[in-house]
Amino acid sequence: MKTPLTKTSTSGLRGDYEDAASDFTVAQQWKSYTAEPHARWRRLYANQSRLAERYAAPQFVKGLKRLDCADGIPRFEDANAVLGPATGWQLVAVPGFIPDDHFFDHLAHRRFPVTRWLREEHEFDYLVEPDVFHDFFGHVPMLLDPTIADFLELYGKAGERAMAMGALDMLARIYWYTIEFGLLRTERGLKVFGAGIVSSPGETVFSIEDPDVVRLPFEPVRIMRTAYNIDSYQKTYFVLDSLPQLIDGLVDLDFGPIYESYRDSPPLPAGEILPGETPLRTAQTTGEPTA
Ligand code: HBI
Ligand code: FE
């Protein structure tokens, strides 16, 4: 677990774990958001939803519209009224990063932890910790997709075994390179669907347009062996042919022997291309607007 931050924000909400329950949930306290963070949310939303129309997967664009959250920091209970009937997921408010075992337990029960505080002005492009914009704008639209909904529950259920086998890093890379930084091939070209990308204006453009970054076909074992950066744009992205490939590619894998084979060796550095691998060329990536 990353060390929780102490309070640093003018909102007073950042990393405030004092009122957290034993499962690390808190009340969202929606009424405590002042006009200032609501206005910042509106600008973040306006900027990123415009980029999403061009660069994000249709499932994301459609999900975002259903959440109807352009006007200010959304109430999680309003989103729950949409999510529940659609895919059975519910949002729970958290103070920020929570311990791995609690994070997995929430996902295994179709509860998605959403951080309640909003980033500051100077953090518009990217921040290392999740905030409400990353967690809500980035993740919740995809929770309305039935495949992503099922995949996240499976990921939560896989957590316990990975931790017991000392292979949490390997499992976490699957989440990182798909749910956070995944790309998807579509009829209109390559699109983004990972929450870490769609909540960052710079990386949304970079991940699709950069001519040199390595884009490899989705391959679970390769992903489990690949290191990632948390403080810069990714050097490697993995590309799904379809969202169901996420589940199809993972359900039949026997994780135990894979963990045993690789957990004690250093991971492959991000950005490396192995013999026999063919990254996608940029000519294959540029696409038309999604919406
Ligand atoms: N807590 N709030 C929050 N959000 C995360 O994405 C998160 C977390 N705790 C642990 C964690 N992620 C990862 O380290 C696990 O997926 C392995
Ligand atoms: Fe995230």
Side-chain angles (χ1 to χ4, degrees):
M1 177 197 173
K2 302 203 173 59
T3 315
L5 293 169
T6 47
K7 288 185 203 179
T8 52
S9 130
T10 50
S11 67
L13 289 173
R14 189 171 195 150
D16 188 354
Y17 290 75
E18 240 146 63
D19 57 337
S22 57
D23 65 355
F24 282 84
T25 59
V26 292
Q28 185 189 6
Q29 292 179 314
W30 186 84
K31 290 203 168 109
S32 72
Y33 300 119
T34 59
E36 190 201 321
H38 281 304
R40 206 180 307 138
W41 172 281
R42 278 197 294 280
R43 281 185 293 117
L44 284 161
Y45 184 99
N47 195 39
Q48 279 313 103
S49 61
R50 186 180 46 80
L51 280 175
E53 301 263 315
R54 177 168 179 85
Y55 290 104
Q59 293 89 340
F60 179 88
V61 175
K62 195 174 124 207
L64 182 63
K65 285 184 179 141
R66 285 170 75 184
L67 292 165
D68 189 18
C69 59
D71 294 338
I73 301 171
R75 283 187 179 83
F76 299 167
E77 60 187 71
D78 290 346
N80 285 343
V82 178
L83 276 169
T87 55
W89 276 78
Q90 292 288 281
L91 308 183
V92 290
V94 290
F97 270 109
I98 62 172
D100 294 331
D101 53 340
H102 289 275
F103 186 69
F104 285 124
D105 188 62
H106 284 303
L107 297 185
H109 295 90
R110 292 199 174 225
R111 294 187 301 264
F112 195 81
V114 177
T115 304
R116 62 180 165 181
W117 55 266
L118 183 64
R119 67 190 64 187
E120 301 289 340
E121 206 66 40
H122 63 276
E123 301 170 307
F124 260 43
D125 193 56
Y126 186 78
L127 69 172
V128 172
E129 336 97 281
D131 73 333
V132 64
F133 187 72
H134 168 82
D135 281 340
F136 194 103
F137 181 97
H139 284 287
V140 184
M142 295 306 289
L143 286 175
L144 288 163
D145 178 85
T147 305
I148 296 294
D150 288 349
F151 172 74
L152 278 171
E153 179 187 339
L154 291 172
Y155 176 79
K157 289 179 168 155
E160 201 175 338
R161 185 172 179 210
M163 285 188 289
M165 289 191 67
L168 184 62
D169 290 354
M170 290 181 67
L171 182 65
R173 290 181 195 127
I174 296 271
Y175 187 90
W176 188 267
Y177 280 117
T178 60
I179 295 301
E180 294 292 356
F181 291 95
L183 302 181
L184 179 67
R185 206 194 287 269
T186 78
E187 288 171 1
R188 290 168 183 255
L190 196 67
K191 301 288 177 183
V192 308
F193 75 94
I197 306 181
V198 292
S199 57
S200 160
E203 191 150 4
T204 297
V205 179
F206 174 84
S207 65
I208 299 295
E209 306 270 13
D210 187 86
D212 300 319
V213 75
V214 179
R215 300 178 189 85
L216 295 173
F218 173 77
E219 211 276 279
V221 178
R222 172 64 156 93
I223 291 176
M224 283 191 260
R225 296 176 58 199
T226 307
Y228 57 76
N229 324 82
I230 64 160
D231 51 8
S232 65
Y233 296 160
Q234 301 306 303
K235 295 192 170 73
T236 298
Y237 298 94
F238 288 91
V239 181
L240 285 168
D241 287 327
S242 73
L243 292 178
Q245 190 189 13
L246 248 187
I247 294 186
D248 299 344
L250 285 163
V251 279
D252 293 332
L253 275 191
D254 191 355
F255 279 68
I258 300 171
Y259 290 158
E260 272 166 17
S261 302
Y262 297 110
R263 71 181 167 199
D264 300 321
S265 1
L268 302 165
E272 194 164 291
I273 302 165
L274 299 181
E277 286 181 339
T278 344
L280 266 77
R281 288 177 301 112
T282 29
Q284 297 168 270
T285 70
T286 39
E288 302 162 32
T290 297

